[in-house]
Amino acid sequence: MQSSWRSPSNIALIKYWGKYPGQLPANASLSYTLSASHTDTTVRNEGKTGTRDFRIRLFLDGQARPDFEPKIQQFLARLGPEADFLRGLDLRIDTHNSFPHSSGIASSASGLSALALCLLDLRQQASGKEEEDFFRTASHWARLGSGSASRSVYGPLVLWGRHSAFAESNDTYAIPYPDELHPSFNQVGDCILLVEQGQKSVSSSAGHRLMEGHAFAEARFQQAGQNLSALKEILRAGDWEAFGTMLESEALTLHAMMMSSKPYYLLMKPDTLRWIEALWAWRREKALPLYFTLDAGANIHLLYPPDIEQEVLNWVIAHKEGFGLGAYIRDQSGKGPIRLEI
Ligand code: DP6
């Protein structure tokens, strides 16, 4: 028994920040699934443990990484009886990220969605029965590993979390964006500026916890809902300027939540702000549809229509040295995971 999947990372337009027990989101979120930034994972059963327990070993680029295993154990514990098919198995997980592990790009969305897809595939093989809705269940499972991972099982635009403007939306799994999308939003470019490489000082999980009892939490959850309603109309109309304004406002609000948590913290770095200022100045000068968003870190995602990609890359390259930027990733929206032939 073995299974192998490639699953992409994603970048949120409307941010998931704050959750309830059971990995349920405090507000609905919307993201573009990426393409170049992905994780390849293979899960193999290497034998029997001879007990009712299962054994799991994880290898990143061929190196044993026992430090990742608690996150996987937590994921399997959340799966509960759904993981019973693993009992007695000795599993080896091999994983590889297309981006450097220390790049500051969140690997949890791509990593946990790839793992969920592999495990569901193994359950299908073990039972000999086809899953009724493979990707829906994979999204549900991925959510239990990491909330944002639930959105990585589809592409290009994905909605997770109950919202009254979308009848099919659900807190327990993500769905492909169900509403009308103007053709100018079918595909977007994403150039990721790796401003800071290395481990973040505060993890996303810890950040979500700090939204519990946060003075602005309720207002933020409501605002996220209103922003999603407004974005629905913007996506229909094809209004890049309104889209970009929403994008930047969501990014800065996310970081404002961090700065006003107790204890407060900062994930942006001086270079994050230098890039943002430079981007605003260039946009004023050129009137280009180029906007930024941030995830829970210092790196910047530049989003733009694919036809201005070369101009954007030239601008990034021209400023790279001056801003001491180590690297960037040229990415774009993508179609979602693929099964790999082993
Ligand atoms: C800022 O999905 O990493 O990227 O559910 O605890 O694993 P856990 O958190 P995670 O949080 C992602 C936060 C975000 C916004 C987003 O992707 O919507």
Side-chain angles (χ1 to χ4, degrees), residues 206-221:
H208 286 290
R209 272 198 301 279
L210 290 172
M211 286 302 280
E212 291 163 23
H214 191 297
F216 306 140
E218 277 316 310
R220 163 59 197 157
F221 303 149

Side-chain angles (χ1 to χ4, degrees), residues 5-12 31-40 96-99 105-106 109-111 113 151-158 186-192 301 303-304 306 309 329-338 340:
W5 282 82
R6 166 172 297 173
S7 192
S9 183
N10 65 69
I11 181 67
S31 57
Y32 271 112
T33 296
L34 297 177
S35 139
S37 308
H38 58 247
T39 299
D40 289 349
H96 164 75
N97 295 325
S98 65
F99 43 89
I105 303 261
S110 54
S113 56
R151 300 187 308 243
S152 274
V153 309
Y154 299 107
L157 194 57
V158 187
N186 280 342
Q187 216 186 345
V188 300
D190 181 355
C191 180
I192 311 168
H301 289 248
L303 266 65
Y304 44 84
E309 180 173 60
I329 297 173
R330 180 178 166 184
D331 212 331
Q332 59 179 333
S333 52
K335 295 200 180 88
I338 51 170
L340 299 173

Side-chain angles (χ1 to χ4, degrees), residues 85-293:
F85 72 100
L86 296 175
R87 287 193 180 282
L89 301 184
D90 182 2
L91 297 173
R92 177 185 168 116
I93 303 172
D94 276 283
T95 193
H96 164 75
N97 295 325
S98 65
F99 43 89
H101 177 63
S102 61
S103 64
I105 303 261
S107 55
S108 72
S110 54
L112 270 308
S113 56
L115 181 59
L117 288 155
C118 289
L119 291 179
L120 188 58
D121 201 1
L122 290 185
R123 182 169 85 170
Q124 204 168 243
Q125 291 173 29
S127 69
K129 269 197 316 214
E130 211 165 294
E131 292 290 332
E132 224 168 86
D133 193 332
F134 185 86
F135 287 99
R136 174 174 292 187
T137 307
S139 173
H140 178 130
W141 284 21
R143 182 194 103 243
L144 298 173
S146 177
S148 54
S150 67
R151 300 187 308 243
S152 274
V153 309
Y154 299 107
L157 194 57
V158 187
L159 175 69
W160 168 46
R162 179 82 198 110
H163 189 285
S164 56
F166 302 94
E168 313 85 332
S169 60
N170 200 290
D171 279 347
T172 59
Y173 52 81
I175 54 172
Y177 185 65
D179 210 81
E180 198 187 319
L181 193 60
H182 189 276
S184 67
F185 289 120
N186 280 342
Q187 216 186 345
V188 300
D190 181 355
C191 180
I192 311 168
L193 308 179
L194 304 178
V195 167
E196 195 205 25
Q197 311 209 18
Q199 203 73 24
K200 292 188 292 196
S201 56
V202 180
S203 71
S204 285
S205 300
H208 286 290
R209 272 198 301 279
L210 290 172
M211 286 302 280
E212 291 163 23
H214 191 297
F216 306 140
E218 277 316 310
R220 163 59 197 157
F221 303 149
Q222 271 195 23
Q223 179 203 45
Q226 288 158 2
N227 282 351
L228 184 53
S229 298
L231 190 56
K232 177 179 167 176
E233 298 312 316
I234 294 167
L235 290 169
R236 228 186 246 207
D239 184 344
W240 259 90
E241 190 180 345
F243 171 83
T245 306
M246 179 64 78
L247 202 65
E248 296 188 349
S249 167
E250 274 288 308
L252 294 177
T253 303
L254 168 71
H255 284 258
M257 291 298 112
M258 299 172 190
M259 291 183 221
S260 49
S261 292
K262 281 186 182 158
Y264 51 80
Y265 62 107
L266 267 176
L267 293 183
M268 286 194 274
K269 294 287 169 192
D271 279 342
T272 311
L273 296 180
R274 288 176 75 203
W275 277 104
I276 291 174
E277 297 269 354
L279 162 67
W280 284 343
W282 193 52
R283 195 166 70 214
R284 271 196 301 275
E285 184 190 320
K286 293 277 186 174
L288 285 173
L290 168 66
Y291 299 89
F292 76 85
T293 188

